[in-house]
Amino acid sequence: MHYFEYKGDELHCEEISIAEIAAKVGTPFYLYSHRTLTQHYRVFDEAFSPIPHLICFAVKANSNLAILKLFAEMGGGADVVSGGELYRSLKAGIPPERIVFAGVGKTREEIAYALKSDILMFNVESSQELQLLEEVAASIGTNAKVALRVNPDVDPSTHPYISTGLKKSKFGIDISLALEEYQVAQNLPHIDIVGIHQHIGSQITEVSPFVDALEKIADLVESLRELDLDIRYLDVGGGLGITYKDEEPPPPKEFAEALIGVIKDLGCTVILEPGRVIAGNAGILVTRVLYTKRTPAKNFVVVDAGMNDLIRPSLYGSYHSILPVKKLPSAPGLVADVVGPICESGDFLAKDREIPEPEMGDLLAVMSAGAYGFTMSSNYNSRPRASEVMVKGGKFYIIRERESYEDLIKGEHVPDFL
Ligand SMILES: *Cc1c(COP(=O)(O)O)cnc(C)c1O
């Protein structure tokens, strides 16, 4: 579900023509629909209304301040994985008591920053991290609220790079060792155990891996309670998939019902960390055709967005649907690779894709780019990062300016001897 639709031959975002926005802001740019973001958030929130819950949006999926602020206004929190994401979340006005902090490599400085900010809880991923957390909390004279991230060893049947709950994964504490680690935590004077956390992967299109994992976690929660541990928060992570092409992930309501079935009797406040399912189909990348090129072996459409702007196709072999911003009803079909300007053969947005043959200067919409799009972008090939635009109704707002050449060299210094 999203509000990117053709009106006549022109692709629109809500009430505004995308070509009109492109004419004003230039290309490439990320475009988000406020109505879609709001609707996705609301549907997810309502699906969990039968139980006490908190939605902590996964900031790494889309960390723009305007987008974080939108969720904050709707009552949401943040799932952060770095000091930088914590900074953004606080800047966007997300109350610290709605922020959870995961990640296998939290530094001493990040831990101190989060303790001083008094966040809801740390999702601790190793024994050494737990010890460091104790030490830093003691030195600041505070207590750290923690959940242990437990690795339930389930296969989410998704891309290996985004599977995080298998036994061999770097994430979390193996479920067979969790009870022991909780007992260690229980004896640390500056650690307050408040919950348990899992996150098994991303772009998961079935309910069963979530249910399997939660059944294991629910058993563990009962054992922990026998040890007098006050497990108030059950953080089930994120990972619900979306439709990029022909995937049929369960709708949020079905997902919620399955989860609630497993956990309702535990009496915990459930924390959810959705990223992709909220933002993915609420954003697109708009790019302009620079050239079309025929070689004896292949056809190429060269566009002004590359792997530095959207790396998912190169990194994971991901599929993103590509639509012409202006429909050309009579255009003959073409099978082509849609490629960017970067000097790498891995720089493509689509491979062997059948599309209406575009002309130089035409605009294309790379769909489903609202999550892990801009946040994974880089300056490779010294390309300024794209701008980000939000549409609300018939108006658009630049929520991040396109970078300039000056931005590219910000902070660089040439030593005197040169
Ligand atoms: C990436 C991540 C998420 C979000 O995953 P989605 O697939 O975007 O929902 C949630 N929690 C943690 C700990 C993550 O690392």
Side-chain angles (χ1 to χ4, degrees), residues 9-22:
D9 290 341
E10 297 265 354
L11 191 62
H12 281 61
C13 177
E14 302 186 15
E15 267 64 79
I16 187 164
S17 134
I18 292 173
E20 191 183 318
I21 303 171

Side-chain angles (χ1 to χ4, degrees), residues 50-284:
I51 54 171
H53 68 280
L54 172 65
I55 297 182
C56 291
F57 177 70
V59 173
K60 74 179 192 285
N62 191 317
S63 59
N64 188 285
L65 290 179
I67 288 182
L68 299 182
K69 179 78 194 300
L70 167 64
F71 299 140
E73 304 249 295
M74 296 183 78
D79 158 41
V80 304
V81 293
S82 70
E85 287 190 352
L86 175 56
Y87 177 78
R88 281 182 173 280
S89 302
L90 294 170
K91 280 279 172 203
I94 297 179
E97 65 272 17
R98 290 194 223 142
I99 299 179
V100 295
F101 189 177
V104 293
K106 302 177 192 79
T107 65
R108 179 184 290 271
E109 293 72 25
E110 288 174 320
I111 288 171
Y113 176 35
L115 280 171
K116 287 177 186 156
S117 308
D118 200 18
I119 62 166
L120 174 58
M121 67 183 191
F122 290 83
N123 291 328
V124 172
E125 307 227 10
S126 67
S127 319
Q128 289 190 352
E129 182 192 334
L130 184 65
Q131 295 299 332
L132 181 61
L133 195 51
E134 163 65 24
E135 188 188 316
V136 180
S139 74
I140 295 176
T142 187
N143 275 26
K145 287 168 279 185
V146 308
L148 298 190
R149 176 171 179 172
V150 173
N151 179 343
D153 189 28
V154 295
D155 186 353
S157 315
T158 183
H159 192 284
Y161 290 5
I162 50 176
S163 297
T164 56
L166 285 163
K167 215 171 180 62
K168 59 179 196 244
S169 150
K170 73 171 175 178
F171 296 99
I173 293 165
D174 193 275
I175 190 151
S176 63
L177 304 171
L179 201 59
E180 210 176 299
E181 202 60 45
Y182 266 103
Q183 286 172 292
V184 172
Q186 198 171 19
N187 290 317
L188 295 173
H190 298 90
I191 298 291
D192 293 340
I193 295 166
V194 297
I196 188 163
H197 176 238
Q198 66 153 21
H199 171 71
I200 57 173
S202 197
Q203 184 53 16
I204 300 169
T205 53
E206 291 164 52
V207 167
S208 55
F210 293 104
V211 169
D212 294 350
L214 274 179
E215 281 172 348
K216 294 186 182 188
I217 299 280
D219 287 345
L220 182 57
V221 169
E222 279 166 10
S223 311
L224 294 172
R225 292 215 168 125
E226 282 163 22
L227 295 173
D228 274 338
L229 284 165
D230 183 17
I231 306 293
R232 277 169 276 159
Y233 296 104
L234 170 54
D235 185 339
V236 304
L240 185 57
I242 63 169
T243 303
Y244 286 98
K245 188 182 183 188
D246 47 17
E247 304 90 336
E248 291 178 356
K253 192 155 171 55
E254 189 184 321
F255 169 75
E257 279 166 4
L259 268 55
I260 292 170
V262 185
I263 58 185
K264 61 176 183 306
D265 295 335
L266 293 174
C268 293
T269 295
V270 171
I271 297 175
L272 301 136
E273 303 173 338
R276 192 187 310 270
V277 70
I278 306 281
N281 280 322
I284 65 173

Side-chain angles (χ1 to χ4, degrees), residues 38-51 53 55 74 252-254 256-257 260 272 278:
T38 309
Q39 177 121 344
H40 285 179
Y41 183 94
R42 190 174 296 137
V43 166
F44 202 87
D45 195 23
E46 279 169 7
F48 283 92
S49 60
I51 54 171
H53 68 280
I55 297 182
M74 296 183 78
K253 192 155 171 55
E254 189 184 321
E257 279 166 4
I260 292 170
L272 301 136
I278 306 281

Side-chain angles (χ1 to χ4, degrees), residues 193-403:
I193 295 166
V194 297
I196 188 163
H197 176 238
Q198 66 153 21
H199 171 71
I200 57 173
S202 197
Q203 184 53 16
I204 300 169
T205 53
E206 291 164 52
V207 167
S208 55
F210 293 104
V211 169
D212 294 350
L214 274 179
E215 281 172 348
K216 294 186 182 188
I217 299 280
D219 287 345
L220 182 57
V221 169
E222 279 166 10
S223 311
L224 294 172
R225 292 215 168 125
E226 282 163 22
L227 295 173
D228 274 338
L229 284 165
D230 183 17
I231 306 293
R232 277 169 276 159
Y233 296 104
L234 170 54
D235 185 339
V236 304
L240 185 57
I242 63 169
T243 303
Y244 286 98
K245 188 182 183 188
D246 47 17
E247 304 90 336
E248 291 178 356
K253 192 155 171 55
E254 189 184 321
F255 169 75
E257 279 166 4
L259 268 55
I260 292 170
V262 185
I263 58 185
K264 61 176 183 306
D265 295 335
L266 293 174
C268 293
T269 295
V270 171
I271 297 175
L272 301 136
E273 303 173 338
R276 192 187 310 270
V277 70
I278 306 281
N281 280 322
I284 65 173
L285 173 63
V286 181
T287 183
R288 198 176 284 282
V289 175
L290 298 173
Y291 307 101
T292 56
K293 174 171 173 175
R294 288 175 189 271
T295 73
K298 259 182 129 79
N299 299 316
F300 294 98
V301 175
V302 185
V303 298
D304 67 1
M307 67 189 283
N308 73 298
D309 298 298
L310 180 65
I311 202 174
R312 298 189 68 261
S314 307
L315 186 62
Y316 311 123
S318 308
Y319 180 98
H320 285 265
S321 155
I322 298 183
L323 301 177
V325 168
K326 188 173 173 46
K327 250 195 225 168
L328 309 159
S330 59
L334 174 78
V335 174
D337 285 7
V338 180
V339 301
I342 300 271
C343 302
E344 297 267 351
S345 294
D347 176 29
F348 59 88
L349 298 176
K351 282 257 186 212
D352 300 317
R353 186 69 59 84
E354 194 172 342
I355 50 170
E357 182 163 2
E359 290 179 14
M360 273 174 93
D362 284 357
L363 293 167
L364 298 177
V366 183
M367 306 304 287
S368 313
Y372 308 102
F374 185 87
T375 52
M376 291 182 104
S377 67
S378 77
N379 290 123
Y380 188 39
N381 278 206
S382 285
R383 287 169 47 81
R385 281 181 296 171
S387 53
E388 293 179 283
V389 179
M390 182 185 282
V391 165
K392 182 169 188 287
K395 279 195 171 163
F396 74 88
Y397 304 85
I398 295 177
I399 58 171
R400 192 184 211 274
E401 287 170 27
R402 184 180 308 287
E403 287 180 338

